[in-house]
Amino acid sequence: MLKIILIVFFIVYIGNILSSISKNLKMKECIAVLVAFLDVGNFSSYGTIIKNENFDKYLEELLRHYPKICKFRSFHDPSLSYGKSSAEIYIAATELYHSFLMKQNFLINDLFDSFNPINTVKKIITLPNTILKFFGITLNIHHSRLFNLAIWVITYALGMYQNEIKAFLSTLLKHS
């Protein structure tokens, strides 16, 4: 039993670390695309955009990466689209760049937190609630804690009485 617990612990621990690294790499890719686009343009003193020779190429590259960017974009961040003017897209890309730099700080913090084994224990304890959230069922904090506790107590009880449960089920199946 202890071996299984340790194996699950290490799988979740390594999974958290790899997930955090993956998110950081994806964010760096999004920031690199934004920087490449922002470097090929500039605003004049009149408020118009000055396009360098590769502006349209990098604009297409930015819009092609937009689905990846949307995974990190919050509701309040500006959006990019083909119907907007170059100046609107440039301003929106600048705001996204600044927003993503701040989110990168949080992702780096999450990466360091993923090395803390206590966070892995918390993740394992809240696994039943995480499964409910996956299916779209969200509980408030008190119900969530009660649900997690109830599931782990039931799991422990089922493990403790597994021989009796097997015998009971086999007798039911024999008599039916």
Side-chain angles (χ1 to χ4, degrees):
M1 181 68 173
L2 184 61
K3 286 182 183 180
I4 294 173
I5 292 172
L6 287 175
I7 289 171
V8 169
F9 175 81
F10 283 116
I11 289 172
V12 172
Y13 184 71
I14 299 299
N16 283 339
I17 293 170
L18 292 177
S19 174
S20 294
I21 290 171
S22 173
K23 287 177 186 176
N24 272 297
L25 292 175
K26 289 176 185 176
M27 177 59 85
K28 285 184 182 192
E29 179 186 351
C30 291
I31 290 173
V33 170
L34 285 166
V35 166
F37 173 71
L38 294 174
D39 286 345
V40 294
N42 206 352
F43 272 109
S44 70
S45 58
Y46 299 109
T48 59
I49 192 161
I50 302 170
K51 300 177 183 179
N52 291 353
E53 60 188 54
N54 293 330
F55 185 84
D56 292 329
K57 173 185 160 193
Y58 283 102
L59 174 60
E60 283 297 318
E61 183 77 14
L62 175 66
L63 293 175
R64 193 168 49 82
H65 275 81
Y66 189 61
K68 292 179 186 176
I69 290 172
C70 282
K71 291 180 182 176
F72 295 105
R73 194 177 77 84
S74 70
F75 179 75
H76 300 291
D77 286 335
S79 62
L80 306 174
S81 69
Y82 284 101
K84 291 185 176 181
S85 70
S86 298
E88 288 176 316
I89 291 176
Y90 194 83
I91 291 169
T94 304
E95 291 177 23
L96 280 172
Y97 171 72
H98 292 295
S99 174
F100 279 17
L101 285 179
M102 189 53 98
K103 287 177 185 167
Q104 177 76 23
N105 294 338
F106 284 100
L107 288 175
I108 290 171
N109 187 45
D110 289 346
L111 175 63
F112 289 128
D113 285 346
S114 70
F115 287 103
N116 187 350
I118 293 174
N119 289 331
T120 303
V121 172
K122 287 179 184 177
K123 202 159 209 142
I124 291 171
I125 290 172
T126 60
L127 184 64
N129 191 44
T130 304
I131 293 170
L132 280 182
K133 283 183 183 177
F134 176 77
F135 289 112
I137 302 170
T138 306
L139 303 174
N140 69 28
I141 188 129
H142 300 295
H143 290 114
S144 168
R145 289 178 180 165
L146 184 63
F147 178 75
N148 288 329
L149 178 66
I151 291 297
W152 288 116
V153 167
I154 290 169
T155 303
Y156 178 74
L158 288 174
M160 241 173 89
Y161 297 109
Q162 68 184 356
N163 293 332
E164 289 82 1
I165 293 170
K166 285 179 188 176
F168 176 72
L169 289 176
S170 66
T171 57
L172 280 178
L173 291 175
K174 285 181 184 176
H175 293 293
S176 54

